Short mmCIF file of all heavy atoms in Angstrom, two decimals:
data_model
loop_
_atom_site.label_atom_id
_atom_site.label_comp_id
_atom_site.label_asym_id
_atom_site.label_seq_id
_atom_site.Cartn_x
_atom_site.Cartn_y
_atom_site.Cartn_z
N ILE A 92 -10.11 64.79 -18.40
CA ILE A 92 -9.57 65.96 -19.10
C ILE A 92 -8.01 66.00 -18.95
O ILE A 92 -7.30 66.24 -19.93
CB ILE A 92 -10.16 67.25 -18.56
CG1 ILE A 92 -11.68 67.34 -19.00
CG2 ILE A 92 -9.41 68.50 -19.05
CD1 ILE A 92 -12.41 68.44 -18.22
N ARG A 93 -7.52 65.74 -17.76
CA ARG A 93 -6.08 65.73 -17.53
C ARG A 93 -5.41 64.69 -18.41
O ARG A 93 -4.38 64.92 -18.97
CB ARG A 93 -5.81 65.47 -16.03
CG ARG A 93 -4.28 65.52 -15.69
CD ARG A 93 -3.91 64.54 -14.57
NE ARG A 93 -4.26 63.18 -14.87
CZ ARG A 93 -3.54 62.41 -15.70
NH1 ARG A 93 -2.44 62.84 -16.31
NH2 ARG A 93 -3.90 61.14 -15.91
N TRP A 94 -6.05 63.51 -18.45
CA TRP A 94 -5.52 62.47 -19.30
C TRP A 94 -5.40 62.88 -20.76
O TRP A 94 -4.39 62.72 -21.43
CB TRP A 94 -6.44 61.22 -19.19
CG TRP A 94 -6.03 60.00 -20.03
CD1 TRP A 94 -5.20 59.00 -19.69
CD2 TRP A 94 -6.47 59.76 -21.38
NE1 TRP A 94 -5.12 58.11 -20.71
CE2 TRP A 94 -5.85 58.52 -21.77
CE3 TRP A 94 -7.34 60.38 -22.29
CZ2 TRP A 94 -6.04 58.00 -23.06
CZ3 TRP A 94 -7.53 59.84 -23.56
CH2 TRP A 94 -6.88 58.62 -23.90
N TYR A 95 -6.46 63.49 -21.24
CA TYR A 95 -6.52 63.96 -22.64
C TYR A 95 -5.47 65.06 -22.88
O TYR A 95 -4.78 65.04 -23.90
CB TYR A 95 -7.91 64.38 -23.10
CG TYR A 95 -7.96 64.83 -24.56
CD1 TYR A 95 -8.26 63.86 -25.53
CD2 TYR A 95 -7.68 66.14 -24.91
CE1 TYR A 95 -8.26 64.22 -26.88
CE2 TYR A 95 -7.71 66.47 -26.24
CZ TYR A 95 -7.97 65.54 -27.22
OH TYR A 95 -7.99 65.90 -28.53
N ASP A 96 -5.40 66.01 -21.95
CA ASP A 96 -4.43 67.12 -22.03
C ASP A 96 -3.01 66.62 -22.18
O ASP A 96 -2.21 67.13 -22.99
CB ASP A 96 -4.60 68.07 -20.88
CG ASP A 96 -5.79 68.98 -20.97
OD1 ASP A 96 -6.36 69.13 -22.08
OD2 ASP A 96 -6.16 69.56 -19.94
N PHE A 97 -2.69 65.61 -21.36
CA PHE A 97 -1.32 65.09 -21.40
C PHE A 97 -1.07 64.35 -22.73
O PHE A 97 0.01 64.56 -23.35
CB PHE A 97 -1.05 64.11 -20.24
CG PHE A 97 0.44 63.79 -20.09
CD1 PHE A 97 1.22 64.52 -19.20
CD2 PHE A 97 1.03 62.79 -20.81
CE1 PHE A 97 2.58 64.27 -19.09
CE2 PHE A 97 2.35 62.48 -20.71
CZ PHE A 97 3.15 63.23 -19.85
N LEU A 98 -2.04 63.61 -23.17
CA LEU A 98 -1.90 62.88 -24.47
C LEU A 98 -1.66 63.91 -25.58
O LEU A 98 -0.79 63.75 -26.45
CB LEU A 98 -3.13 62.08 -24.75
CG LEU A 98 -3.17 61.28 -26.10
CD1 LEU A 98 -2.06 60.22 -26.10
CD2 LEU A 98 -4.53 60.70 -26.34
N ASP A 99 -2.44 64.99 -25.56
CA ASP A 99 -2.34 66.01 -26.60
C ASP A 99 -0.97 66.73 -26.50
O ASP A 99 -0.38 67.10 -27.54
CB ASP A 99 -3.50 67.02 -26.42
CG ASP A 99 -3.71 67.88 -27.66
OD1 ASP A 99 -3.75 67.28 -28.77
OD2 ASP A 99 -3.84 69.09 -27.53
N PHE A 100 -0.46 66.94 -25.26
CA PHE A 100 0.81 67.58 -25.11
C PHE A 100 1.91 66.70 -25.68
O PHE A 100 2.78 67.14 -26.41
CB PHE A 100 1.03 67.80 -23.61
CG PHE A 100 2.46 68.27 -23.27
CD1 PHE A 100 2.83 69.58 -23.52
CD2 PHE A 100 3.39 67.36 -22.70
CE1 PHE A 100 4.13 70.02 -23.23
CE2 PHE A 100 4.63 67.80 -22.38
CZ PHE A 100 5.04 69.15 -22.64
N ILE A 101 1.88 65.37 -25.34
CA ILE A 101 2.91 64.46 -25.83
C ILE A 101 2.88 64.37 -27.39
O ILE A 101 3.90 64.25 -27.99
CB ILE A 101 2.67 63.07 -25.23
CG1 ILE A 101 3.06 63.03 -23.76
CG2 ILE A 101 3.46 61.97 -25.97
CD1 ILE A 101 4.54 63.25 -23.45
N LEU A 102 1.66 64.44 -27.94
CA LEU A 102 1.51 64.32 -29.40
C LEU A 102 1.56 65.69 -30.08
O LEU A 102 1.20 65.80 -31.27
CB LEU A 102 0.27 63.59 -29.76
CG LEU A 102 0.18 62.11 -29.23
CD1 LEU A 102 -1.17 61.54 -29.56
CD2 LEU A 102 1.29 61.29 -29.81
N GLU A 103 1.96 66.70 -29.33
CA GLU A 103 2.16 68.04 -29.94
C GLU A 103 0.91 68.54 -30.60
O GLU A 103 0.93 69.07 -31.74
CB GLU A 103 3.35 68.06 -30.88
CG GLU A 103 4.68 67.65 -30.19
CD GLU A 103 5.82 67.61 -31.22
OE1 GLU A 103 5.58 67.59 -32.41
OE2 GLU A 103 6.98 67.61 -30.71
N GLY A 104 -0.23 68.41 -29.87
CA GLY A 104 -1.49 68.93 -30.38
C GLY A 104 -2.21 68.07 -31.38
O GLY A 104 -3.18 68.52 -31.98
N ARG A 105 -1.78 66.82 -31.52
CA ARG A 105 -2.39 65.95 -32.54
C ARG A 105 -3.24 64.80 -31.99
O ARG A 105 -3.56 63.88 -32.71
CB ARG A 105 -1.27 65.36 -33.42
CG ARG A 105 -0.43 66.35 -34.18
CD ARG A 105 -1.17 67.18 -35.16
NE ARG A 105 -1.86 66.41 -36.19
CZ ARG A 105 -1.21 66.05 -37.30
NH1 ARG A 105 0.05 66.39 -37.58
NH2 ARG A 105 -1.87 65.30 -38.25
N ALA A 106 -3.57 64.88 -30.68
CA ALA A 106 -4.39 63.81 -30.06
C ALA A 106 -5.70 63.64 -30.78
O ALA A 106 -6.21 62.49 -30.97
CB ALA A 106 -4.59 64.08 -28.63
N SER A 107 -6.27 64.75 -31.32
CA SER A 107 -7.58 64.65 -31.92
C SER A 107 -7.51 63.88 -33.28
O SER A 107 -8.60 63.62 -33.85
CB SER A 107 -8.14 66.05 -32.17
OG SER A 107 -7.30 66.78 -33.04
N ASP A 108 -6.35 63.50 -33.74
CA ASP A 108 -6.26 62.72 -34.97
C ASP A 108 -6.85 61.36 -34.75
O ASP A 108 -7.34 60.70 -35.72
CB ASP A 108 -4.74 62.52 -35.34
CG ASP A 108 -4.15 63.77 -35.95
OD1 ASP A 108 -4.88 64.80 -36.10
OD2 ASP A 108 -2.92 63.77 -36.18
N PHE A 109 -6.84 60.86 -33.49
CA PHE A 109 -7.44 59.56 -33.24
C PHE A 109 -8.20 59.43 -31.94
O PHE A 109 -8.81 58.35 -31.63
CB PHE A 109 -6.35 58.48 -33.36
CG PHE A 109 -5.37 58.51 -32.21
CD1 PHE A 109 -5.35 57.49 -31.24
CD2 PHE A 109 -4.42 59.54 -32.09
CE1 PHE A 109 -4.41 57.48 -30.23
CE2 PHE A 109 -3.49 59.55 -31.08
CZ PHE A 109 -3.47 58.53 -30.13
N VAL A 110 -8.27 60.48 -31.13
CA VAL A 110 -9.04 60.49 -29.92
C VAL A 110 -9.85 61.76 -29.83
O VAL A 110 -9.34 62.86 -30.03
CB VAL A 110 -8.14 60.37 -28.65
CG1 VAL A 110 -8.99 60.37 -27.38
CG2 VAL A 110 -7.27 59.12 -28.69
N ARG A 111 -11.16 61.67 -29.52
CA ARG A 111 -12.00 62.82 -29.29
C ARG A 111 -12.71 62.68 -27.94
O ARG A 111 -13.19 61.60 -27.59
CB ARG A 111 -13.10 62.98 -30.36
CG ARG A 111 -12.48 63.13 -31.83
CD ARG A 111 -12.04 64.57 -32.08
NE ARG A 111 -11.20 64.66 -33.29
CZ ARG A 111 -11.66 65.11 -34.49
NH1 ARG A 111 -12.91 65.47 -34.60
NH2 ARG A 111 -10.77 65.16 -35.49
N LEU A 112 -12.72 63.81 -27.19
CA LEU A 112 -13.41 63.79 -25.86
C LEU A 112 -14.54 64.78 -25.90
O LEU A 112 -14.41 65.91 -26.36
CB LEU A 112 -12.36 64.22 -24.78
CG LEU A 112 -12.92 64.64 -23.41
CD1 LEU A 112 -13.65 63.45 -22.76
CD2 LEU A 112 -11.80 65.11 -22.46
N TYR A 113 -15.70 64.31 -25.40
CA TYR A 113 -16.91 65.12 -25.36
C TYR A 113 -17.43 65.22 -23.98
O TYR A 113 -17.58 64.21 -23.24
CB TYR A 113 -18.02 64.52 -26.26
CG TYR A 113 -17.63 64.48 -27.72
CD1 TYR A 113 -16.89 63.41 -28.21
CD2 TYR A 113 -17.97 65.50 -28.63
CE1 TYR A 113 -16.57 63.36 -29.58
CE2 TYR A 113 -17.59 65.47 -29.93
CZ TYR A 113 -16.85 64.34 -30.44
OH TYR A 113 -16.54 64.30 -31.72
N ARG A 114 -17.68 66.44 -23.46
CA ARG A 114 -18.22 66.65 -22.12
C ARG A 114 -19.69 66.93 -22.23
O ARG A 114 -20.16 67.59 -23.13
CB ARG A 114 -17.52 67.85 -21.47
CG ARG A 114 -16.02 67.63 -21.34
CD ARG A 114 -15.30 68.88 -20.98
NE ARG A 114 -15.62 69.35 -19.65
CZ ARG A 114 -15.06 70.46 -19.10
NH1 ARG A 114 -14.12 71.12 -19.73
NH2 ARG A 114 -15.47 70.82 -17.90
N VAL A 115 -20.46 66.41 -21.20
CA VAL A 115 -21.88 66.56 -21.24
C VAL A 115 -22.36 67.37 -20.01
O VAL A 115 -22.38 66.83 -18.90
CB VAL A 115 -22.62 65.18 -21.27
CG1 VAL A 115 -24.16 65.41 -21.48
CG2 VAL A 115 -22.05 64.26 -22.32
N PRO A 116 -22.68 68.64 -20.19
CA PRO A 116 -23.10 69.46 -19.03
C PRO A 116 -24.34 68.93 -18.32
O PRO A 116 -25.25 68.43 -19.00
CB PRO A 116 -23.42 70.85 -19.66
CG PRO A 116 -22.62 70.82 -20.98
CD PRO A 116 -22.65 69.41 -21.43
N GLY A 117 -24.29 68.92 -17.00
CA GLY A 117 -25.44 68.51 -16.23
C GLY A 117 -25.64 67.06 -16.05
O GLY A 117 -26.49 66.58 -15.25
N MET A 118 -24.92 66.22 -16.84
CA MET A 118 -25.13 64.76 -16.78
C MET A 118 -24.29 64.13 -15.65
O MET A 118 -23.07 64.37 -15.57
CB MET A 118 -24.78 64.10 -18.09
CG MET A 118 -25.24 62.64 -18.20
SD MET A 118 -24.96 61.87 -19.81
CE MET A 118 -23.21 61.34 -19.66
N PRO A 119 -24.91 63.34 -14.82
CA PRO A 119 -24.20 62.64 -13.75
C PRO A 119 -23.56 61.35 -14.24
O PRO A 119 -23.00 61.32 -15.36
CB PRO A 119 -25.31 62.39 -12.68
CG PRO A 119 -26.55 62.27 -13.49
CD PRO A 119 -26.37 63.14 -14.70
N HIS A 120 -23.63 60.26 -13.46
CA HIS A 120 -23.03 58.99 -13.84
C HIS A 120 -24.04 58.19 -14.68
O HIS A 120 -24.75 57.32 -14.22
CB HIS A 120 -22.68 58.24 -12.58
CG HIS A 120 -21.67 57.10 -12.78
ND1 HIS A 120 -20.44 57.30 -13.22
CD2 HIS A 120 -21.80 55.74 -12.64
CE1 HIS A 120 -19.76 56.14 -13.29
NE2 HIS A 120 -20.60 55.21 -13.02
N GLY A 121 -24.03 58.48 -15.97
CA GLY A 121 -25.02 57.92 -16.86
C GLY A 121 -26.12 58.94 -17.14
O GLY A 121 -26.04 60.10 -16.76
N GLN A 122 -27.18 58.44 -17.83
CA GLN A 122 -28.26 59.38 -18.17
C GLN A 122 -28.96 59.97 -16.94
O GLN A 122 -29.00 59.32 -15.91
CB GLN A 122 -29.25 58.67 -19.06
CG GLN A 122 -28.87 58.56 -20.53
CD GLN A 122 -30.01 58.05 -21.39
OE1 GLN A 122 -30.59 57.08 -21.09
NE2 GLN A 122 -30.25 58.72 -22.52
N GLY A 123 -29.45 61.16 -17.08
CA GLY A 123 -30.21 61.81 -15.99
C GLY A 123 -29.67 63.22 -15.80
O GLY A 123 -28.85 63.71 -16.51
N GLY A 124 -30.22 63.83 -14.69
CA GLY A 124 -29.77 65.18 -14.41
C GLY A 124 -30.35 66.17 -15.37
O GLY A 124 -31.01 65.78 -16.38
N PRO A 125 -30.10 67.48 -15.16
CA PRO A 125 -30.58 68.49 -16.10
C PRO A 125 -29.68 68.62 -17.27
O PRO A 125 -28.83 69.48 -17.40
CB PRO A 125 -30.48 69.80 -15.19
CG PRO A 125 -29.39 69.51 -14.26
CD PRO A 125 -29.43 68.03 -13.98
N SER A 126 -29.77 67.60 -18.16
CA SER A 126 -28.83 67.49 -19.27
C SER A 126 -29.54 67.06 -20.59
O SER A 126 -30.61 66.53 -20.58
CB SER A 126 -27.78 66.44 -18.90
OG SER A 126 -28.33 65.12 -18.83
N ALA A 127 -28.78 67.33 -21.65
CA ALA A 127 -29.18 66.76 -22.99
C ALA A 127 -28.44 65.45 -23.10
O ALA A 127 -27.30 65.37 -23.52
CB ALA A 127 -28.75 67.74 -24.07
N ASP A 128 -29.09 64.38 -22.70
CA ASP A 128 -28.42 63.10 -22.48
C ASP A 128 -28.82 62.03 -23.49
O ASP A 128 -28.59 60.85 -23.26
CB ASP A 128 -28.67 62.60 -21.08
CG ASP A 128 -30.11 62.35 -20.72
OD1 ASP A 128 -31.01 62.59 -21.60
OD2 ASP A 128 -30.42 61.94 -19.57
N GLN A 129 -29.42 62.42 -24.59
CA GLN A 129 -29.79 61.52 -25.67
C GLN A 129 -28.92 61.83 -26.87
O GLN A 129 -29.06 62.84 -27.49
CB GLN A 129 -31.24 61.59 -26.01
CG GLN A 129 -31.68 60.52 -27.04
CD GLN A 129 -33.20 60.52 -27.25
OE1 GLN A 129 -33.97 60.20 -26.32
NE2 GLN A 129 -33.63 60.88 -28.42
N PHE A 130 -28.02 60.89 -27.21
CA PHE A 130 -27.07 61.19 -28.29
C PHE A 130 -26.50 59.82 -28.81
O PHE A 130 -26.46 58.84 -28.09
CB PHE A 130 -25.93 62.12 -27.87
CG PHE A 130 -25.31 61.74 -26.53
CD1 PHE A 130 -24.36 60.72 -26.46
CD2 PHE A 130 -25.71 62.37 -25.39
CE1 PHE A 130 -23.80 60.33 -25.25
CE2 PHE A 130 -25.15 62.00 -24.15
CZ PHE A 130 -24.21 60.99 -24.05
N ASP A 131 -26.05 59.93 -30.07
CA ASP A 131 -25.49 58.67 -30.68
C ASP A 131 -24.02 58.88 -30.92
O ASP A 131 -23.65 59.63 -31.85
CB ASP A 131 -26.24 58.42 -32.01
CG ASP A 131 -25.70 57.13 -32.69
OD1 ASP A 131 -24.77 56.48 -32.24
OD2 ASP A 131 -26.26 56.83 -33.80
N MET A 132 -23.20 58.29 -30.08
CA MET A 132 -21.72 58.34 -30.30
C MET A 132 -21.22 57.18 -31.13
O MET A 132 -20.11 57.18 -31.64
CB MET A 132 -21.04 58.30 -28.93
CG MET A 132 -21.23 59.53 -28.06
SD MET A 132 -20.07 60.85 -28.46
CE MET A 132 -20.60 62.14 -27.32
N LEU A 133 -22.03 56.14 -31.27
CA LEU A 133 -21.59 54.89 -31.95
C LEU A 133 -21.49 55.08 -33.42
O LEU A 133 -20.50 54.69 -34.05
CB LEU A 133 -22.50 53.72 -31.65
CG LEU A 133 -22.11 52.36 -32.25
CD1 LEU A 133 -20.70 51.96 -31.92
CD2 LEU A 133 -23.11 51.31 -31.77
N GLN A 134 -22.52 55.66 -34.08
CA GLN A 134 -22.47 55.85 -35.49
C GLN A 134 -21.30 56.69 -35.99
O GLN A 134 -20.64 56.39 -36.98
CB GLN A 134 -23.82 56.41 -36.02
CG GLN A 134 -23.96 56.39 -37.54
CD GLN A 134 -23.80 55.02 -38.15
OE1 GLN A 134 -24.48 54.09 -37.73
NE2 GLN A 134 -22.92 54.87 -39.07
N PRO A 135 -21.01 57.82 -35.30
CA PRO A 135 -19.84 58.58 -35.70
C PRO A 135 -18.54 57.83 -35.55
O PRO A 135 -17.60 57.99 -36.35
CB PRO A 135 -19.87 59.81 -34.75
CG PRO A 135 -21.28 59.91 -34.34
CD PRO A 135 -21.83 58.54 -34.29
N LEU A 136 -18.47 56.94 -34.55
CA LEU A 136 -17.24 56.13 -34.40
C LEU A 136 -17.12 55.12 -35.51
O LEU A 136 -16.01 54.96 -36.09
CB LEU A 136 -17.31 55.37 -33.07
CG LEU A 136 -16.12 54.46 -32.80
CD1 LEU A 136 -14.79 55.23 -32.68
CD2 LEU A 136 -16.33 53.66 -31.50
N ILE A 137 -18.27 54.56 -35.95
CA ILE A 137 -18.21 53.64 -37.10
C ILE A 137 -17.74 54.35 -38.34
O ILE A 137 -16.90 53.84 -39.08
CB ILE A 137 -19.64 53.05 -37.31
CG1 ILE A 137 -20.08 52.13 -36.16
CG2 ILE A 137 -19.71 52.27 -38.63
CD1 ILE A 137 -21.53 51.72 -36.17
#
């Protein structure tokens, strides 16, 4: 988050033009935990 915040600050709020960050509640290091951990990030990137 700190990395993204700084990038967004340097780019005057335009970081989302080419970088998007998504947080997953409850998810640990990879799938698992009390989380919604099944999702497709690849197709939207394509």
